[in-house]
Amino acid sequence: MENWQKQAQKILEESLAVKKAFWEKQKGNILRSAEEILRALKAGGKLLIFGNGGSAADAQHMAAEFVNRFRLERLPLPAIALTTDTSILTAIANDYDFSQVFSKQVKALGHPGDVALGISTSGNSENVLQGLATARELGLFTIGLTGGDGGKMPSYADLVITVPSRETPRIQEAHIFYIHLVCELVEEAYFAS
């Protein structure tokens, strides 16, 4: 148990250091992404969010914060996690390929002026990249949320926000920080008047 305390302290310090470095290196991109999401929502557009595994959970978390509420009691904002409909996901994966599970949904739901946010800790998830590529082709503003060196994501997104770490848990912790920060900034700005 004594070792656990030391290990926990080390993990805490690493997590805080990654989040601080993430903010310092990416604050311009983080704030721009919030501005693009706000612009889309104010113009009647929506936010489409997608990822795999923990990133799928992050997509659902972010959509829930926009549709329900974050900190303010307010009207819902349109955000859809493309990770939640198992019938759609399994039909596309079965009839076509798993790499198409997000791109086909983007084709069905996305419109010019919307924002697509693809989340991949490695930046190399093929279905996330294809979802971003389709969104870009359709005229959506595309945001990639990733880690490490960004992987292939910079070729697929208009704006790439990269956590400066190669450790998946630390990247995901910074992604949650990003999600909460953007939700709070957009919510406050949208309902400021």
Side-chain angles (χ1 to χ4, degrees), residues 34-35 37-39 41-42 47 62-77 179-193:
E35 289 171 356
I37 293 167
L38 177 64
R39 175 204 49 76
L41 297 177
K42 284 193 158 195
L47 175 61
M62 190 172 196
E65 303 291 19
F66 275 107
V67 172
N68 185 33
R69 68 177 180 85
F70 188 66
R71 294 176 63 101
L72 301 178
E73 290 298 331
R74 42 91 172 162
L75 295 172
L77 294 171
I179 288 166
H180 282 170
L181 177 62
V182 168
C183 286
E184 188 160 347
L185 294 174
V186 170
E187 182 183 72
E188 287 180 2
Y190 190 97
F191 294 100
S193 51

PDB file of all heavy atoms in Angstrom, residues 34-35 37-39 41-42 47 62-77 179-193:
ATOM      1  N   ALA A  34     -13.246  25.989 -29.996  1.00  0.00           N
ATOM      2  CA  ALA A  34     -14.444  26.462 -29.287  1.00  0.00           C
ATOM      3  C   ALA A  34     -15.162  27.522 -30.113  1.00  0.00           C
ATOM      4  O   ALA A  34     -16.403  27.519 -30.207  1.00  0.00           O
ATOM      5  CB  ALA A  34     -14.060  27.001 -27.912  1.00  0.00           C
ATOM      6  N   GLU A  35     -14.412  28.422 -30.740  1.00  0.00           N
ATOM      7  CA  GLU A  35     -15.013  29.453 -31.591  1.00  0.00           C
ATOM      8  C   GLU A  35     -15.750  28.842 -32.780  1.00  0.00           C
ATOM      9  O   GLU A  35     -16.852  29.284 -33.126  1.00  0.00           O
ATOM     10  CB  GLU A  35     -13.934  30.415 -32.111  1.00  0.00           C
ATOM     11  CG  GLU A  35     -13.366  31.327 -31.049  1.00  0.00           C
ATOM     12  CD  GLU A  35     -12.149  32.111 -31.537  1.00  0.00           C
ATOM     13  OE1 GLU A  35     -11.684  31.899 -32.693  1.00  0.00           O
ATOM     14  OE2 GLU A  35     -11.648  32.942 -30.750  1.00  0.00           O
ATOM     15  N   ILE A  37     -17.036  25.786 -32.998  1.00  0.00           N
ATOM     16  CA  ILE A  37     -18.237  25.099 -32.501  1.00  0.00           C
ATOM     17  C   ILE A  37     -19.315  26.124 -32.179  1.00  0.00           C
ATOM     18  O   ILE A  37     -20.490  25.957 -32.560  1.00  0.00           O
ATOM     19  CB  ILE A  37     -17.895  24.207 -31.286  1.00  0.00           C
ATOM     20  CG1 ILE A  37     -16.999  23.043 -31.729  1.00  0.00           C
ATOM     21  CG2 ILE A  37     -19.165  23.697 -30.608  1.00  0.00           C
ATOM     22  CD1 ILE A  37     -16.351  22.277 -30.584  1.00  0.00           C
ATOM     23  N   LEU A  38     -18.947  27.206 -31.509  1.00  0.00           N
ATOM     24  CA  LEU A  38     -19.908  28.267 -31.190  1.00  0.00           C
ATOM     25  C   LEU A  38     -20.504  28.847 -32.467  1.00  0.00           C
ATOM     26  O   LEU A  38     -21.721  29.038 -32.570  1.00  0.00           O
ATOM     27  CB  LEU A  38     -19.228  29.359 -30.363  1.00  0.00           C
ATOM     28  CG  LEU A  38     -20.093  30.567 -30.005  1.00  0.00           C
ATOM     29  CD1 LEU A  38     -21.263  30.162 -29.108  1.00  0.00           C
ATOM     30  CD2 LEU A  38     -19.231  31.636 -29.327  1.00  0.00           C
ATOM     31  N   ARG A  39     -19.656  29.144 -33.453  1.00  0.00           N
ATOM     32  CA  ARG A  39     -20.131  29.692 -34.727  1.00  0.00           C
ATOM     33  C   ARG A  39     -21.158  28.769 -35.363  1.00  0.00           C
ATOM     34  O   ARG A  39     -22.216  29.195 -35.803  1.00  0.00           O
ATOM     35  CB  ARG A  39     -18.940  29.886 -35.677  1.00  0.00           C
ATOM     36  CG  ARG A  39     -19.350  30.334 -37.078  1.00  0.00           C
ATOM     37  CD  ARG A  39     -18.312  29.978 -38.135  1.00  0.00           C
ATOM     38  NE  ARG A  39     -17.824  28.611 -38.113  1.00  0.00           N
ATOM     39  CZ  ARG A  39     -18.490  27.541 -38.564  1.00  0.00           C
ATOM     40  NH1 ARG A  39     -19.707  27.676 -39.066  1.00  0.00           N
ATOM     41  NH2 ARG A  39     -17.953  26.347 -38.509  1.00  0.00           N
ATOM     42  N   LEU A  41     -23.043  26.409 -33.974  1.00  0.00           N
ATOM     43  CA  LEU A  41     -24.277  26.318 -33.191  1.00  0.00           C
ATOM     44  C   LEU A  41     -25.120  27.581 -33.339  1.00  0.00           C
ATOM     45  O   LEU A  41     -26.340  27.505 -33.495  1.00  0.00           O
ATOM     46  CB  LEU A  41     -23.950  26.049 -31.720  1.00  0.00           C
ATOM     47  CG  LEU A  41     -23.249  24.717 -31.420  1.00  0.00           C
ATOM     48  CD1 LEU A  41     -22.915  24.615 -29.944  1.00  0.00           C
ATOM     49  CD2 LEU A  41     -24.082  23.529 -31.871  1.00  0.00           C
ATOM     50  N   LYS A  42     -24.476  28.743 -33.320  1.00  0.00           N
ATOM     51  CA  LYS A  42     -25.219  30.006 -33.465  1.00  0.00           C
ATOM     52  C   LYS A  42     -25.849  30.139 -34.848  1.00  0.00           C
ATOM     53  O   LYS A  42     -26.862  30.814 -35.004  1.00  0.00           O
ATOM     54  CB  LYS A  42     -24.312  31.201 -33.168  1.00  0.00           C
ATOM     55  CG  LYS A  42     -24.065  31.404 -31.695  1.00  0.00           C
ATOM     56  CD  LYS A  42     -23.445  32.766 -31.437  1.00  0.00           C
ATOM     57  CE  LYS A  42     -23.714  33.155 -29.993  1.00  0.00           C
ATOM     58  NZ  LYS A  42     -23.476  34.551 -29.736  1.00  0.00           N
ATOM     59  N   LEU A  47     -22.896  19.757 -33.915  1.00  0.00           N
ATOM     60  CA  LEU A  47     -21.600  19.149 -33.669  1.00  0.00           C
ATOM     61  C   LEU A  47     -21.752  17.639 -33.764  1.00  0.00           C
ATOM     62  O   LEU A  47     -22.588  17.049 -33.075  1.00  0.00           O
ATOM     63  CB  LEU A  47     -21.095  19.552 -32.280  1.00  0.00           C
ATOM     64  CG  LEU A  47     -19.805  18.917 -31.773  1.00  0.00           C
ATOM     65  CD1 LEU A  47     -18.618  19.263 -32.679  1.00  0.00           C
ATOM     66  CD2 LEU A  47     -19.536  19.354 -30.330  1.00  0.00           C
ATOM     67  N   MET A  62     -19.263  14.283 -24.368  1.00  0.00           N
ATOM     68  CA  MET A  62     -19.346  15.653 -24.881  1.00  0.00           C
ATOM     69  C   MET A  62     -20.736  15.957 -25.434  1.00  0.00           C
ATOM     70  O   MET A  62     -21.294  17.032 -25.170  1.00  0.00           O
ATOM     71  CB  MET A  62     -18.281  15.871 -25.948  1.00  0.00           C
ATOM     72  CG  MET A  62     -18.135  17.318 -26.372  1.00  0.00           C
ATOM     73  SD  MET A  62     -16.702  17.496 -27.463  1.00  0.00           S
ATOM     74  CE  MET A  62     -16.496  19.275 -27.409  1.00  0.00           C
ATOM     75  N   ALA A  63     -21.291  15.026 -26.192  1.00  0.00           N
ATOM     76  CA  ALA A  63     -22.638  15.235 -26.736  1.00  0.00           C
ATOM     77  C   ALA A  63     -23.651  15.415 -25.607  1.00  0.00           C
ATOM     78  O   ALA A  63     -24.527  16.291 -25.679  1.00  0.00           O
ATOM     79  CB  ALA A  63     -23.030  14.065 -27.634  1.00  0.00           C
ATOM     80  N   ALA A  64     -23.534  14.620 -24.560  1.00  0.00           N
ATOM     81  CA  ALA A  64     -24.464  14.734 -23.428  1.00  0.00           C
ATOM     82  C   ALA A  64     -24.365  16.096 -22.756  1.00  0.00           C
ATOM     83  O   ALA A  64     -25.381  16.687 -22.372  1.00  0.00           O
ATOM     84  CB  ALA A  64     -24.187  13.623 -22.413  1.00  0.00           C
ATOM     85  N   GLU A  65     -23.151  16.617 -22.621  1.00  0.00           N
ATOM     86  CA  GLU A  65     -22.977  17.934 -21.988  1.00  0.00           C
ATOM     87  C   GLU A  65     -23.627  19.037 -22.808  1.00  0.00           C
ATOM     88  O   GLU A  65     -24.201  19.977 -22.262  1.00  0.00           O
ATOM     89  CB  GLU A  65     -21.486  18.243 -21.793  1.00  0.00           C
ATOM     90  CG  GLU A  65     -20.693  17.247 -20.982  1.00  0.00           C
ATOM     91  CD  GLU A  65     -21.026  17.201 -19.495  1.00  0.00           C
ATOM     92  OE1 GLU A  65     -22.100  17.670 -19.080  1.00  0.00           O
ATOM     93  OE2 GLU A  65     -20.192  16.674 -18.738  1.00  0.00           O
ATOM     94  N   PHE A  66     -23.560  18.934 -24.143  1.00  0.00           N
ATOM     95  CA  PHE A  66     -24.189  19.952 -24.992  1.00  0.00           C
ATOM     96  C   PHE A  66     -25.705  19.796 -25.033  1.00  0.00           C
ATOM     97  O   PHE A  66     -26.436  20.779 -24.915  1.00  0.00           O
ATOM     98  CB  PHE A  66     -23.619  19.897 -26.411  1.00  0.00           C
ATOM     99  CG  PHE A  66     -22.345  20.673 -26.576  1.00  0.00           C
ATOM    100  CD1 PHE A  66     -21.131  20.033 -26.717  1.00  0.00           C
ATOM    101  CD2 PHE A  66     -22.361  22.059 -26.578  1.00  0.00           C
ATOM    102  CE1 PHE A  66     -19.949  20.755 -26.853  1.00  0.00           C
ATOM    103  CE2 PHE A  66     -21.191  22.798 -26.714  1.00  0.00           C
ATOM    104  CZ  PHE A  66     -19.974  22.138 -26.860  1.00  0.00           C
ATOM    105  N   VAL A  67     -26.187  18.579 -25.201  1.00  0.00           N
ATOM    106  CA  VAL A  67     -27.629  18.375 -25.346  1.00  0.00           C
ATOM    107  C   VAL A  67     -28.356  18.598 -24.021  1.00  0.00           C
ATOM    108  O   VAL A  67     -29.432  19.221 -23.989  1.00  0.00           O
ATOM    109  CB  VAL A  67     -27.930  16.964 -25.898  1.00  0.00           C
ATOM    110  CG1 VAL A  67     -29.427  16.668 -25.862  1.00  0.00           C
ATOM    111  CG2 VAL A  67     -27.405  16.845 -27.333  1.00  0.00           C
ATOM    112  N   ASN A  68     -27.810  18.139 -22.927  1.00  0.00           N
ATOM    113  CA  ASN A  68     -28.472  18.304 -21.633  1.00  0.00           C
ATOM    114  C   ASN A  68     -28.124  19.670 -21.047  1.00  0.00           C
ATOM    115  O   ASN A  68     -28.885  20.613 -21.180  1.00  0.00           O
ATOM    116  CB  ASN A  68     -28.081  17.166 -20.686  1.00  0.00           C
ATOM    117  CG  ASN A  68     -28.835  17.218 -19.380  1.00  0.00           C
ATOM    118  OD1 ASN A  68     -29.992  17.628 -19.337  1.00  0.00           O
ATOM    119  ND2 ASN A  68     -28.192  16.814 -18.302  1.00  0.00           N
ATOM    120  N   ARG A  69     -26.989  19.758 -20.423  1.00  0.00           N
ATOM    121  CA  ARG A  69     -26.455  21.020 -19.898  1.00  0.00           C
ATOM    122  C   ARG A  69     -25.063  20.724 -19.376  1.00  0.00           C
ATOM    123  O   ARG A  69     -24.713  19.580 -19.126  1.00  0.00           O
ATOM    124  CB  ARG A  69     -27.316  21.602 -18.783  1.00  0.00           C
ATOM    125  CG  ARG A  69     -27.304  20.787 -17.503  1.00  0.00           C
ATOM    126  CD  ARG A  69     -28.110  21.455 -16.402  1.00  0.00           C
ATOM    127  NE  ARG A  69     -28.088  20.671 -15.197  1.00  0.00           N
ATOM    128  CZ  ARG A  69     -27.134  20.723 -14.267  1.00  0.00           C
ATOM    129  NH1 ARG A  69     -26.110  21.514 -14.416  1.00  0.00           N
ATOM    130  NH2 ARG A  69     -27.201  19.974 -13.198  1.00  0.00           N
ATOM    131  N   PHE A  70     -24.290  21.774 -19.225  1.00  0.00           N
ATOM    132  CA  PHE A  70     -22.984  21.610 -18.598  1.00  0.00           C
ATOM    133  C   PHE A  70     -23.058  22.226 -17.209  1.00  0.00           C
ATOM    134  O   PHE A  70     -23.295  21.550 -16.233  1.00  0.00           O
ATOM    135  CB  PHE A  70     -21.858  22.204 -19.457  1.00  0.00           C
ATOM    136  CG  PHE A  70     -20.501  21.884 -18.919  1.00  0.00           C
ATOM    137  CD1 PHE A  70     -20.044  20.578 -18.890  1.00  0.00           C
ATOM    138  CD2 PHE A  70     -19.677  22.869 -18.428  1.00  0.00           C
ATOM    139  CE1 PHE A  70     -18.791  20.250 -18.371  1.00  0.00           C
ATOM    140  CE2 PHE A  70     -18.424  22.565 -17.914  1.00  0.00           C
ATOM    141  CZ  PHE A  70     -17.992  21.261 -17.885  1.00  0.00           C
ATOM    142  N   ARG A  71     -22.924  23.561 -17.119  1.00  0.00           N
ATOM    143  CA  ARG A  71     -23.030  24.226 -15.819  1.00  0.00           C
ATOM    144  C   ARG A  71     -24.283  25.080 -15.708  1.00  0.00           C
ATOM    145  O   ARG A  71     -24.760  25.331 -14.607  1.00  0.00           O
ATOM    146  CB  ARG A  71     -21.787  25.073 -15.573  1.00  0.00           C
ATOM    147  CG  ARG A  71     -20.528  24.234 -15.422  1.00  0.00           C
ATOM    148  CD  ARG A  71     -19.297  25.083 -15.278  1.00  0.00           C
ATOM    149  NE  ARG A  71     -19.309  25.906 -14.105  1.00  0.00           N
ATOM    150  CZ  ARG A  71     -18.664  25.648 -12.974  1.00  0.00           C
ATOM    151  NH1 ARG A  71     -17.959  24.550 -12.874  1.00  0.00           N
ATOM    152  NH2 ARG A  71     -18.713  26.470 -11.968  1.00  0.00           N
ATOM    153  N   LEU A  72     -24.797  25.535 -16.838  1.00  0.00           N
ATOM    154  CA  LEU A  72     -25.946  26.440 -16.826  1.00  0.00           C
ATOM    155  C   LEU A  72     -27.246  25.677 -17.042  1.00  0.00           C
ATOM    156  O   LEU A  72     -27.277  24.696 -17.785  1.00  0.00           O
ATOM    157  CB  LEU A  72     -25.802  27.489 -17.944  1.00  0.00           C
ATOM    158  CG  LEU A  72     -24.567  28.381 -17.929  1.00  0.00           C
ATOM    159  CD1 LEU A  72     -24.594  29.303 -19.145  1.00  0.00           C
ATOM    160  CD2 LEU A  72     -24.482  29.179 -16.639  1.00  0.00           C
ATOM    161  N   GLU A  73     -28.307  26.179 -16.431  1.00  0.00           N
ATOM    162  CA  GLU A  73     -29.649  25.703 -16.768  1.00  0.00           C
ATOM    163  C   GLU A  73     -30.029  26.447 -18.042  1.00  0.00           C
ATOM    164  O   GLU A  73     -30.152  27.670 -18.044  1.00  0.00           O
ATOM    165  CB  GLU A  73     -30.639  26.017 -15.638  1.00  0.00           C
ATOM    166  CG  GLU A  73     -30.417  25.201 -14.381  1.00  0.00           C
ATOM    167  CD  GLU A  73     -30.581  23.707 -14.606  1.00  0.00           C
ATOM    168  OE1 GLU A  73     -31.362  23.298 -15.498  1.00  0.00           O
ATOM    169  OE2 GLU A  73     -29.885  22.939 -13.917  1.00  0.00           O
ATOM    170  N   ARG A  74     -30.180  25.725 -19.145  1.00  0.00           N
ATOM    171  CA  ARG A  74     -30.385  26.380 -20.436  1.00  0.00           C
ATOM    172  C   ARG A  74     -31.016  25.411 -21.424  1.00  0.00           C
ATOM    173  O   ARG A  74     -31.206  24.233 -21.150  1.00  0.00           O
ATOM    174  CB  ARG A  74     -29.058  26.921 -20.966  1.00  0.00           C
ATOM    175  CG  ARG A  74     -27.856  26.003 -20.789  1.00  0.00           C
ATOM    176  CD  ARG A  74     -27.646  25.099 -21.971  1.00  0.00           C
ATOM    177  NE  ARG A  74     -26.401  24.355 -21.904  1.00  0.00           N
ATOM    178  CZ  ARG A  74     -26.187  23.276 -22.631  1.00  0.00           C
ATOM    179  NH1 ARG A  74     -27.094  22.806 -23.435  1.00  0.00           N
ATOM    180  NH2 ARG A  74     -25.035  22.633 -22.543  1.00  0.00           N
ATOM    181  N   LEU A  75     -31.322  25.965 -22.615  1.00  0.00           N
ATOM    182  CA  LEU A  75     -31.880  25.149 -23.686  1.00  0.00           C
ATOM    183  C   LEU A  75     -30.815  24.184 -24.208  1.00  0.00           C
ATOM    184  O   LEU A  75     -29.614  24.462 -24.123  1.00  0.00           O
ATOM    185  CB  LEU A  75     -32.365  26.043 -24.827  1.00  0.00           C
ATOM    186  CG  LEU A  75     -33.540  26.975 -24.499  1.00  0.00           C
ATOM    187  CD1 LEU A  75     -33.790  27.936 -25.651  1.00  0.00           C
ATOM    188  CD2 LEU A  75     -34.782  26.155 -24.193  1.00  0.00           C
ATOM    189  N   PRO A  76     -31.230  23.058 -24.777  1.00  0.00           N
ATOM    190  CA  PRO A  76     -30.272  22.102 -25.322  1.00  0.00           C
ATOM    191  C   PRO A  76     -29.557  22.649 -26.558  1.00  0.00           C
ATOM    192  O   PRO A  76     -30.113  23.453 -27.302  1.00  0.00           O
ATOM    193  CB  PRO A  76     -31.123  20.895 -25.706  1.00  0.00           C
ATOM    194  CG  PRO A  76     -32.496  21.158 -25.248  1.00  0.00           C
ATOM    195  CD  PRO A  76     -32.610  22.578 -24.861  1.00  0.00           C
ATOM    196  N   LEU A  77     -28.343  22.184 -26.766  1.00  0.00           N
ATOM    197  CA  LEU A  77     -27.562  22.517 -27.957  1.00  0.00           C
ATOM    198  C   LEU A  77     -27.364  21.244 -28.779  1.00  0.00           C
ATOM    199  O   LEU A  77     -27.142  20.169 -28.211  1.00  0.00           O
ATOM    200  CB  LEU A  77     -26.212  23.123 -27.561  1.00  0.00           C
ATOM    201  CG  LEU A  77     -26.281  24.479 -26.872  1.00  0.00           C
ATOM    202  CD1 LEU A  77     -24.916  24.882 -26.322  1.00  0.00           C
ATOM    203  CD2 LEU A  77     -26.812  25.545 -27.831  1.00  0.00           C
ATOM    204  N   ILE A 179     -12.640  18.613 -23.398  1.00  0.00           N
ATOM    205  CA  ILE A 179     -14.103  18.531 -23.547  1.00  0.00           C
ATOM    206  C   ILE A 179     -14.799  19.440 -22.547  1.00  0.00           C
ATOM    207  O   ILE A 179     -15.685  20.218 -22.902  1.00  0.00           O
ATOM    208  CB  ILE A 179     -14.565  17.061 -23.415  1.00  0.00           C
ATOM    209  CG1 ILE A 179     -14.142  16.286 -24.676  1.00  0.00           C
ATOM    210  CG2 ILE A 179     -16.061  16.963 -23.171  1.00  0.00           C
ATOM    211  CD1 ILE A 179     -14.235  14.785 -24.531  1.00  0.00           C
ATOM    212  N   HIS A 180     -14.414  19.366 -21.293  1.00  0.00           N
ATOM    213  CA  HIS A 180     -15.053  20.207 -20.276  1.00  0.00           C
ATOM    214  C   HIS A 180     -14.782  21.684 -20.517  1.00  0.00           C
ATOM    215  O   HIS A 180     -15.679  22.516 -20.371  1.00  0.00           O
ATOM    216  CB  HIS A 180     -14.599  19.784 -18.880  1.00  0.00           C
ATOM    217  CG  HIS A 180     -15.277  18.562 -18.385  1.00  0.00           C
ATOM    218  ND1 HIS A 180     -14.872  17.894 -17.252  1.00  0.00           N
ATOM    219  CD2 HIS A 180     -16.345  17.874 -18.854  1.00  0.00           C
ATOM    220  CE1 HIS A 180     -15.662  16.860 -17.059  1.00  0.00           C
ATOM    221  NE2 HIS A 180     -16.558  16.819 -18.020  1.00  0.00           N
ATOM    222  N   LEU A 181     -13.554  22.013 -20.888  1.00  0.00           N
ATOM    223  CA  LEU A 181     -13.212  23.414 -21.146  1.00  0.00           C
ATOM    224  C   LEU A 181     -14.041  23.975 -22.300  1.00  0.00           C
ATOM    225  O   LEU A 181     -14.643  25.046 -22.192  1.00  0.00           O
ATOM    226  CB  LEU A 181     -11.721  23.534 -21.453  1.00  0.00           C
ATOM    227  CG  LEU A 181     -11.218  24.929 -21.811  1.00  0.00           C
ATOM    228  CD1 LEU A 181     -11.428  25.900 -20.657  1.00  0.00           C
ATOM    229  CD2 LEU A 181      -9.755  24.873 -22.209  1.00  0.00           C
ATOM    230  N   VAL A 182     -14.098  23.244 -23.410  1.00  0.00           N
ATOM    231  CA  VAL A 182     -14.850  23.717 -24.577  1.00  0.00           C
ATOM    232  C   VAL A 182     -16.341  23.802 -24.264  1.00  0.00           C
ATOM    233  O   VAL A 182     -17.002  24.781 -24.645  1.00  0.00           O
ATOM    234  CB  VAL A 182     -14.558  22.820 -25.802  1.00  0.00           C
ATOM    235  CG1 VAL A 182     -15.541  23.094 -26.936  1.00  0.00           C
ATOM    236  CG2 VAL A 182     -13.130  23.038 -26.269  1.00  0.00           C
ATOM    237  N   CYS A 183     -16.874  22.819 -23.568  1.00  0.00           N
ATOM    238  CA  CYS A 183     -18.294  22.873 -23.202  1.00  0.00           C
ATOM    239  C   CYS A 183     -18.586  24.122 -22.381  1.00  0.00           C
ATOM    240  O   CYS A 183     -19.579  24.820 -22.636  1.00  0.00           O
ATOM    241  CB  CYS A 183     -18.697  21.624 -22.414  1.00  0.00           C
ATOM    242  SG  CYS A 183     -18.837  20.146 -23.421  1.00  0.00           S
ATOM    243  N   GLU A 184     -17.739  24.416 -21.422  1.00  0.00           N
ATOM    244  CA  GLU A 184     -17.975  25.578 -20.570  1.00  0.00           C
ATOM    245  C   GLU A 184     -17.848  26.882 -21.354  1.00  0.00           C
ATOM    246  O   GLU A 184     -18.692  27.769 -21.232  1.00  0.00           O
ATOM    247  CB  GLU A 184     -17.018  25.567 -19.379  1.00  0.00           C
ATOM    248  CG  GLU A 184     -17.332  26.637 -18.359  1.00  0.00           C
ATOM    249  CD  GLU A 184     -16.753  26.365 -16.978  1.00  0.00           C
ATOM    250  OE1 GLU A 184     -16.308  25.224 -16.720  1.00  0.00           O
ATOM    251  OE2 GLU A 184     -16.771  27.295 -16.153  1.00  0.00           O
ATOM    252  N   LEU A 185     -16.815  27.003 -22.171  1.00  0.00           N
ATOM    253  CA  LEU A 185     -16.627  28.230 -22.951  1.00  0.00           C
ATOM    254  C   LEU A 185     -17.780  28.464 -23.924  1.00  0.00           C
ATOM    255  O   LEU A 185     -18.320  29.567 -24.023  1.00  0.00           O
ATOM    256  CB  LEU A 185     -15.297  28.175 -23.713  1.00  0.00           C
ATOM    257  CG  LEU A 185     -14.023  28.171 -22.894  1.00  0.00           C
ATOM    258  CD1 LEU A 185     -12.803  27.956 -23.788  1.00  0.00           C
ATOM    259  CD2 LEU A 185     -13.875  29.449 -22.091  1.00  0.00           C
ATOM    260  N   VAL A 186     -18.173  27.410 -24.638  1.00  0.00           N
ATOM    261  CA  VAL A 186     -19.237  27.549 -25.641  1.00  0.00           C
ATOM    262  C   VAL A 186     -20.570  27.826 -24.955  1.00  0.00           C
ATOM    263  O   VAL A 186     -21.327  28.713 -25.389  1.00  0.00           O
ATOM    264  CB  VAL A 186     -19.314  26.288 -26.534  1.00  0.00           C
ATOM    265  CG1 VAL A 186     -20.566  26.308 -27.402  1.00  0.00           C
ATOM    266  CG2 VAL A 186     -18.055  26.188 -27.391  1.00  0.00           C
ATOM    267  N   GLU A 187     -20.858  27.105 -23.901  1.00  0.00           N
ATOM    268  CA  GLU A 187     -22.129  27.306 -23.190  1.00  0.00           C
ATOM    269  C   GLU A 187     -22.240  28.738 -22.673  1.00  0.00           C
ATOM    270  O   GLU A 187     -23.265  29.400 -22.879  1.00  0.00           O
ATOM    271  CB  GLU A 187     -22.214  26.312 -22.037  1.00  0.00           C
ATOM    272  CG  GLU A 187     -23.509  26.392 -21.250  1.00  0.00           C
ATOM    273  CD  GLU A 187     -23.508  25.436 -20.080  1.00  0.00           C
ATOM    274  OE1 GLU A 187     -22.786  25.683 -19.094  1.00  0.00           O
ATOM    275  OE2 GLU A 187     -24.226  24.423 -20.154  1.00  0.00           O
ATOM    276  N   GLU A 188     -21.197  29.227 -22.035  1.00  0.00           N
ATOM    277  CA  GLU A 188     -21.247  30.597 -21.493  1.00  0.00           C
ATOM    278  C   GLU A 188     -21.377  31.628 -22.590  1.00  0.00           C
ATOM    279  O   GLU A 188     -22.155  32.586 -22.484  1.00  0.00           O
ATOM    280  CB  GLU A 188     -20.013  30.866 -20.636  1.00  0.00           C
ATOM    281  CG  GLU A 188     -20.040  30.156 -19.301  1.00  0.00           C
ATOM    282  CD  GLU A 188     -18.820  30.431 -18.446  1.00  0.00           C
ATOM    283  OE1 GLU A 188     -17.949  31.208 -18.869  1.00  0.00           O
ATOM    284  OE2 GLU A 188     -18.746  29.852 -17.352  1.00  0.00           O
ATOM    285  N   ALA A 189     -20.641  31.455 -23.694  1.00  0.00           N
ATOM    286  CA  ALA A 189     -20.706  32.434 -24.787  1.00  0.00           C
ATOM    287  C   ALA A 189     -22.052  32.375 -25.499  1.00  0.00           C
ATOM    288  O   ALA A 189     -22.623  33.414 -25.851  1.00  0.00           O
ATOM    289  CB  ALA A 189     -19.577  32.171 -25.777  1.00  0.00           C
ATOM    290  N   TYR A 190     -22.589  31.186 -25.710  1.00  0.00           N
ATOM    291  CA  TYR A 190     -23.853  31.029 -26.436  1.00  0.00           C
ATOM    292  C   TYR A 190     -25.013  31.673 -25.674  1.00  0.00           C
ATOM    293  O   TYR A 190     -25.877  32.311 -26.256  1.00  0.00           O
ATOM    294  CB  TYR A 190     -24.140  29.544 -26.667  1.00  0.00           C
ATOM    295  CG  TYR A 190     -25.291  29.293 -27.606  1.00  0.00           C
ATOM    296  CD1 TYR A 190     -25.061  29.024 -28.956  1.00  0.00           C
ATOM    297  CD2 TYR A 190     -26.616  29.308 -27.170  1.00  0.00           C
ATOM    298  CE1 TYR A 190     -26.109  28.791 -29.825  1.00  0.00           C
ATOM    299  CE2 TYR A 190     -27.662  29.086 -28.031  1.00  0.00           C
ATOM    300  CZ  TYR A 190     -27.414  28.816 -29.358  1.00  0.00           C
ATOM    301  OH  TYR A 190     -28.456  28.590 -30.225  1.00  0.00           O
ATOM    302  N   PHE A 191     -24.993  31.502 -24.353  1.00  0.00           N
ATOM    303  CA  PHE A 191     -26.120  31.993 -23.551  1.00  0.00           C
ATOM    304  C   PHE A 191     -25.796  33.281 -22.801  1.00  0.00           C
ATOM    305  O   PHE A 191     -26.491  33.653 -21.866  1.00  0.00           O
ATOM    306  CB  PHE A 191     -26.569  30.891 -22.582  1.00  0.00           C
ATOM    307  CG  PHE A 191     -27.154  29.708 -23.296  1.00  0.00           C
ATOM    308  CD1 PHE A 191     -26.389  28.567 -23.522  1.00  0.00           C
ATOM    309  CD2 PHE A 191     -28.442  29.752 -23.785  1.00  0.00           C
ATOM    310  CE1 PHE A 191     -26.917  27.484 -24.199  1.00  0.00           C
ATOM    311  CE2 PHE A 191     -28.989  28.664 -24.480  1.00  0.00           C
ATOM    312  CZ  PHE A 191     -28.219  27.536 -24.689  1.00  0.00           C
ATOM    313  N   ALA A 192     -24.740  33.980 -23.232  1.00  0.00           N
ATOM    314  CA  ALA A 192     -24.328  35.211 -22.543  1.00  0.00           C
ATOM    315  C   ALA A 192     -25.360  36.323 -22.657  1.00  0.00           C
ATOM    316  O   ALA A 192     -25.488  37.152 -21.782  1.00  0.00           O
ATOM    317  CB  ALA A 192     -22.983  35.688 -23.093  1.00  0.00           C
ATOM    318  N   SER A 193     -26.093  36.380 -23.772  1.00  0.00           N
ATOM    319  CA  SER A 193     -27.020  37.521 -23.984  1.00  0.00           C
ATOM    320  C   SER A 193     -28.352  37.337 -23.322  1.00  0.00           C
ATOM    321  O   SER A 193     -28.852  36.352 -23.034  1.00  0.00           O
ATOM    322  CB  SER A 193     -27.200  37.758 -25.469  1.00  0.00           C
ATOM    323  OG  SER A 193     -27.541  36.572 -26.139  1.00  0.00           O
TER     324      SER A 193
END
